[in-house]
Amino acid sequence: MYDMPLEKYKESHRLLTSLEYETKPVVHGYANRTLFIDLSKNEIGIKPVTQQMKDIFTGGRGFCLWLLWNAVNSKTQWDSPENELVIAGGPIGGITQYPGSGKSTVVTISPLTGVANDSNGGGYFGPYLKYSGFDALEIQGKAEKDVIIFIDGDNGRVTVEEAPLEMLDTHRINVLLTEMYAKDEKSLRGVSVISAGRAADYAAISGLNISFFDQRRKEVRIKQAARGGSGRVFRDKKIKAIVVRFSDMKGNINGVADPELVSKAGKRINKEIAELDPVQNDMAHLGTTNLVEVMNYHDLLPVQNFRYGKSDQAVKISADYWRKVFDYSAPDSCWYGCSMACSHMVANYTVKTGPYKGNIVSVDGPEYETLGGVGSNIDVFDPEIVAEINFYADTYGLDTISLGNSIAFAMECYEKGILNKENTGGLELTWGNADVALELIHQMGRGEGFGMIVGQGIRAMKKHFVENFGADPEYLNDIGMEIKGLEISEYMTKESLAQQGGYALATKGPQHDEAWLIFMDMVLNQIPTFEDKAEALHYFPMWRTWFSLHGLCKLPWNDVVPVDNKLEKEPAKVPEHVKNYTWLYEGVLGKPITIDEIIFQSEKVYNFQRIFSLRMGYGKRENDYPPYRAMGPVTVEEYQSREERYDKSLREDVGLDPEKMSVEEKVDALRKYRYERYEKLVDAVYLRRGWNSNGVPKLETIKRLGIDFPEVVEIVRQNGG
Ligand code: SF4
């Protein structure tokens, strides 16, 4: 695995700065301090967590946004030295009695969107950071040479070390650093490493990997906080890795106020998972791969750059295949005690291409988003190739959603003649050409060729193709599957107006962790009116935001449900599980909470993030539109692929007779209708959220939420709120 003995790497480190600190117990979920590191000045400091921070921002993503807000200004770019990477768990995060309690959130000004991006991932980092003494880690500045940041929670010491020899690729550096920094060989589980990978030196679509040590398999595993380009910021700061060590997991380490109440919630959900997961989604065997078949059945699986929603070949990459190749020798929990255990892996995979050709590795994943992104969306249905891309995307540090959509966009441009072999460096970007897809990925890893262009994401490609290849900007805007600069998650939204809003009205960009309403809207027709959709686009983004404030994974909320859930008045909310979360909150923090107060906590952070976007020059109505392909058929062949459905809509919704129209006329008429319908949705959502018609939170809204800091008020006033 290494090129030289571990000691040689260690000896090459040069200490740049260090800080000794007193370790203290966590109280009611908070360490009550945050850690600040400036890599330009080689400074390390500790800041107190104030009561105001807790009251307004709760923790996790809320703390990250507040710390970042105070560090940057309206002119800050992703590569400005004052931009920060801020990483946090959350107050509930780190408990071991309730599944899904180990998430970390990463926040930074994104190279893709220019605004504050939040992305969350599993692994052990967030909880270990807190148990080491810090509710958040804030990294500013840029190192001169590659560094490793080491937070030693065992001994109360933080160091920044120049580290010239370690490799960048995740599957190697994470093993090396886990062994290097563990207290002893029995304590490998006490280390978590954050890394990016070699492509993060070049590609904006780069994310971060967060490790955990799989005690039963004796293997370092990874989860991703992949979205929004945080890997690129990480490497721009010349960070090779951030390591946290905490070797003493025990008892009530999170300092919870009422262990019995936490345990009551845990027992209820763990029993339910044991009894019902096998007969519901079977997450413990399939993870999210079961979604391939479901999405394909409902015409929602992205195929060929979201042109189509299904493929006869989808079965080849569906759960039936992964059930045969996933390793089931141990439960796949990405944090202690997660009984949902859905983080599967392919063991003993022989790499077929690139610098690791012939190596036998473990592939963490694939999950549904990867299967949709670098599988069906680029027309690749060979599961071994998807596993290969999954492996390289992880180890190079690439986000598989952005990667898949970017390659799919380039493939469609190739098909349309916008690209050709001359301007792709000889690559034939035909649908399903897996060799070319892999070559693009390796070029991203080497920082060369057409892969460098694809690796900057769709928004940058659109600009490049217009300026250099004479492409039609309107057409590219129609088919480029990004909003606000971030590539769209892997669900077709053409037939779900609510999900179009779920993606396009999300502050950071179109990410499924904010709102996933396709089934409620399109399949079950539970939210038929604009007001119903607006209510859902208020409640669910707020509810889901709450997970990121607390360091929680949302999968145990609705990927298993109680037997009688369907009898509930609002089954989509899974009321029994909402009750569990109120018990957890009270059990950990020692204060009761209602569902309205949960939504209120999220509303404060959500609106603050929207105003943060305004401060950076975005966050208005003009930024809240999806590409037309997310709303309806752009081309004649797309229309024809669902002709019956679209003709019916023209007849019943628009009052036209499709028999008397050409397909081109029908495409235009449907487009006009769908844009008008989208505008009405936006009006309804803004009204429900307390924003003005330009999407700016109103003064009365920010006062109600208690986020009316002078600068916030000024920004809102300047934008007419
Ligand atoms: S449900 Fe899956 S992703 Fe979420 S914490 Fe558990 S193992 Fe990790």
Side-chain angles (χ1 to χ4, degrees):
M1 182 60 78
Y2 320 135
D3 303 322
M4 60 184 88
L6 208 61
E7 284 310 311
K8 291 274 175 210
Y9 291 101
K10 239 184 191 169
E11 284 165 13
S12 73
H13 287 196
R14 187 168 78 89
L15 183 68
L16 296 177
T17 182
S18 67
L19 174 85
E20 316 276 334
Y21 66 93
E22 187 190 349
T23 55
K24 291 182 185 170
V26 172
V27 180
H28 296 183
Y30 289 101
N32 290 307
R33 294 177 292 183
T34 64
L35 180 63
F36 171 81
I37 298 173
D38 187 326
L39 292 173
S40 298
K41 297 181 188 154
N42 282 329
E43 278 178 13
I44 306 175
I46 291 176
K47 298 179 184 176
V49 169
T50 63
Q51 191 57 42
Q52 186 196 40
M53 272 173 81
K54 291 185 191 172
D55 291 345
I56 297 178
F57 298 101
T58 303
R61 170 173 156 192
F63 279 9
C64 292
L65 285 163
W66 176 238
L67 294 169
L68 184 66
W69 170 278
N70 289 315
V72 301
N73 58 66
S74 63
K75 303 273 181 291
T76 300
Q77 304 289 309
W78 71 272
D79 56 351
S80 303
E82 72 272 16
N83 187 23
E84 292 189 336
L85 263 178
V86 198
I87 307 166
I92 298 177
I95 59 167
T96 56
Q97 297 90 337
Y98 200 90
S101 303
K103 286 265 182 171
S104 308
T105 296
V106 181
V107 172
T108 192
I109 301 295
S110 160
L112 294 170
T113 66
V115 298
N117 176 77
D118 62 275
S119 179
N120 64 70
Y124 289 0
F125 192 88
Y128 281 1
L129 177 70
K130 178 165 69 174
Y131 298 150
S132 295
F134 307 108
D135 291 311
L137 165 65
E138 209 181 338
I139 306 171
Q140 196 174 56
K142 299 186 190 194
E144 275 176 26
K145 295 182 181 163
D146 283 345
V147 294
I148 289 172
I149 294 167
F150 176 43
I151 301 157
D152 179 1
D154 289 352
N155 298 303
R157 188 163 191 253
V158 181
T159 56
V160 179
E161 303 162 22
E162 229 168 65
L165 300 182
E166 284 83 354
M167 64 298 283
L168 289 173
D169 289 344
T170 283
H171 79 290
R172 301 184 71 209
I173 193 170
N174 279 5
V175 175
L176 175 70
L177 297 185
T178 299
E179 294 186 4
M180 186 186 291
Y181 287 103
K183 190 171 75 177
D184 52 50
E185 40 184 66
K186 289 198 194 120
S187 310
L188 295 167
R189 203 179 186 190
V191 173
S192 178
V193 180
I194 298 186
S195 60
R198 68 174 74 179
D201 278 353
Y202 313 107
I205 57 171
S206 302
L208 294 173
N209 294 291
I210 306 173
S211 82
F212 63 103
F213 188 76
D214 185 331
Q215 188 73 8
R216 303 223 178 124
R217 293 186 180 86
K218 305 283 175 229
E219 204 174 318
V220 178
R221 310 274 309 275
I222 46 169
K223 296 291 283 182
Q224 289 73 37
R227 307 245 54 208
S230 53
R232 185 74 195 91
V233 178
F234 187 88
R235 286 299 299 144
D236 185 60
K237 293 186 178 302
K238 290 222 168 9
I239 305 169
K240 259 190 180 165
I242 310 170
V243 183
V244 64
R245 175 168 74 189
F246 184 78
S247 315
D248 196 21
M249 278 293 290
K250 62 178 178 211
N252 187 7
I253 190 89
N254 202 32
V256 310
D258 184 347
E260 277 175 26
L261 193 53
V262 173
S263 176
K264 181 171 143 185
K267 278 187 189 140
R268 178 152 90 164
I269 189 79
N270 285 327
K271 183 166 181 290
E272 197 180 303
I273 289 173
E275 289 171 3
L276 299 178
D277 181 53
V279 292
Q280 292 184 2
N281 292 329
D282 200 9
M283 301 289 283
H285 288 99
L286 307 178
T288 52
T289 62
N290 64 0
L291 286 171
V292 172
E293 198 180 339
V294 178
M295 294 302 132
N296 195 52
Y297 176 80
H298 289 289
D299 207 6
L300 295 167
L301 183 74
V303 174
Q304 291 189 3
N305 195 29
F306 290 77
R307 280 203 288 213
Y308 311 117
K310 63 170 90 168
S311 166
D312 293 344
Q313 298 192 72
V315 65
K316 294 186 198 163
I317 56 166
S318 72
D320 284 346
Y321 175 82
W322 301 107
R323 190 190 286 278
K324 285 182 239 149
V325 299
F326 278 153
D327 180 280
Y328 294 123
S329 61
D332 285 303
S333 317
C334 76
W335 172 243
Y336 291 67
C338 184
S339 55
M340 190 155 253
C342 76
S343 297
H344 302 301
M345 62 175 255
V346 178
N348 300 318
Y349 176 78
T350 305
V351 182
K352 297 175 179 59
T353 66
Y356 301 112
K357 186 173 175 183
N359 288 15
I360 295 174
V361 298
S362 296
V363 181
D364 273 288
E367 296 181 24
Y368 168 75
E369 296 292 334
T370 299
L371 294 167
V374 297
S376 61
N377 204 24
I378 61 172
D379 230 11
V380 165
F381 291 97
D382 179 339
E384 291 231 0
I385 298 292
V386 176
E388 176 95 2
I389 295 177
N390 188 153
F391 166 73
Y392 271 113
D394 287 352
T395 204
Y396 285 175
L398 293 162
D399 168 20
T400 52
I401 297 175
S402 285
L403 178 66
N405 289 13
S406 297
I407 294 175
F409 174 73
M411 284 180 167
E412 187 162 352
C413 289
Y414 191 87
E415 182 190 68
K416 297 292 174 204
I418 296 163
L419 299 176
N420 52 49
K421 272 172 84 169
E422 276 77 65
N423 52 32
T424 64
L427 298 177
E428 289 187 64
L429 279 93
T430 47
W431 293 115
N433 192 336
D435 291 344
V436 160
L438 275 158
E439 178 53 23
L440 286 172
I441 292 164
H442 292 309
Q443 287 183 352
M444 289 175 208
R446 297 193 297 267
E448 64 182 38
F450 193 66
M452 269 296 276
I453 293 167
V454 179
Q456 306 319 314
I458 292 172
R459 190 161 279 201
M461 268 192 283
K462 289 196 291 195
K463 187 166 179 289
H464 186 82
F465 297 172
V466 170
E467 288 175 1
N468 297 289
F469 309 145
D472 171 6
E474 277 180 33
Y475 181 69
L476 296 194
N477 283 334
D478 276 350
I479 67 161
M481 298 307 281
E482 57 85 11
I483 303 170
K484 301 183 170 86
L486 184 69
E487 285 70 24
I488 293 176
S489 299
E490 306 301 336
Y491 301 96
M492 284 270 287
T493 58
K494 282 178 194 162
E495 310 316 325
S496 169
L497 177 61
Q499 189 57 41
Q500 290 162 28
Y503 278 160
L505 300 173
T507 301
K508 71 179 158 211
Q511 163 71 355
H512 58 287
D513 71 351
E514 174 155 332
W516 196 83
L517 303 173
I518 292 183
F519 264 58
M520 276 181 86
D521 189 32
M522 179 192 134
V523 180
L524 305 172
N525 197 24
Q526 290 171 334
I527 43 176
T529 68
F530 286 107
E531 289 69 31
D532 294 335
K533 292 183 206 307
E535 182 56 37
L537 282 165
H538 171 68
Y539 177 85
F540 287 101
M542 297 312 137
W543 170 248
R544 285 165 172 260
T545 291
W546 197 73
F547 289 91
S548 65
L549 306 186
H550 282 285
L552 296 171
C553 170
K554 69 161 189 54
L555 296 181
W557 159 54
N558 69 348
D559 274 78
V560 65
V561 294
V563 177
D564 53 2
N565 188 56
K566 53 183 172 301
L567 304 176
E568 298 277 3
K569 203 166 128 226
E570 297 180 286
K573 293 182 178 175
V574 200
E576 185 180 306
H577 290 181
V578 172
K579 187 77 190 163
N580 287 351
Y581 287 107
T582 64
W583 290 346
L584 277 189
Y585 183 89
E586 183 175 352
V588 173
L589 283 90
K591 294 183 283 188
I593 194 166
T594 64
I595 178 62
D596 288 344
E597 287 164 343
I598 282 179
I599 298 301
F600 190 56
Q601 282 187 342
S602 293
E603 256 192 292
K604 293 179 204 188
V605 175
Y606 194 90
N607 278 269
F608 182 77
Q609 192 166 356
R610 179 78 175 184
I611 292 159
F612 203 155
S613 292
L614 280 168
R615 185 199 201 192
M616 307 311 290
Y618 302 94
K620 288 195 263 208
R621 190 175 185 119
E622 66 194 32
N623 308 114
D624 285 345
Y625 288 88
Y628 184 63
R629 177 160 288 163
M631 303 168 82
V634 173
T635 62
V636 164
E637 69 257 36
E638 273 172 272
Y639 190 100
Q640 286 169 331
S641 74
R642 296 171 168 202
E643 190 151 28
E644 209 178 308
R645 186 196 300 249
Y646 296 140
D647 280 359
K648 183 166 178 274
S649 174
L650 286 179
R651 209 175 293 116
E652 295 176 5
D653 301 326
V654 194
L656 294 171
D657 181 359
E659 304 301 323
K660 296 181 178 148
M661 300 166 76
S662 68
V663 185
E664 286 80 2
E665 286 169 337
K666 291 196 284 188
V667 169
D668 289 346
L670 193 69
R671 184 177 181 122
K672 184 166 174 291
Y673 165 69
R674 290 201 166 185
Y675 264 117
E676 286 168 2
R677 200 178 60 159
Y678 182 76
E679 297 290 0
K680 284 186 193 155
L681 176 79
V682 174
D683 287 339
V685 173
Y686 286 174
L687 187 68
R688 178 62 188 89
R689 289 184 180 175
W691 298 356
N692 73 11
S693 60
N694 202 18
V696 178
K698 291 180 185 167
L699 216 45
E700 67 205 46
T701 303
I702 61 166
K703 285 197 172 139
R704 176 176 67 81
L705 297 172
I707 55 170
D708 51 337
F709 307 109
E711 194 184 352
V712 168
V713 171
E714 186 56 30
I715 290 166
V716 165
R717 282 220 172 95
Q718 278 167 6
N719 287 283

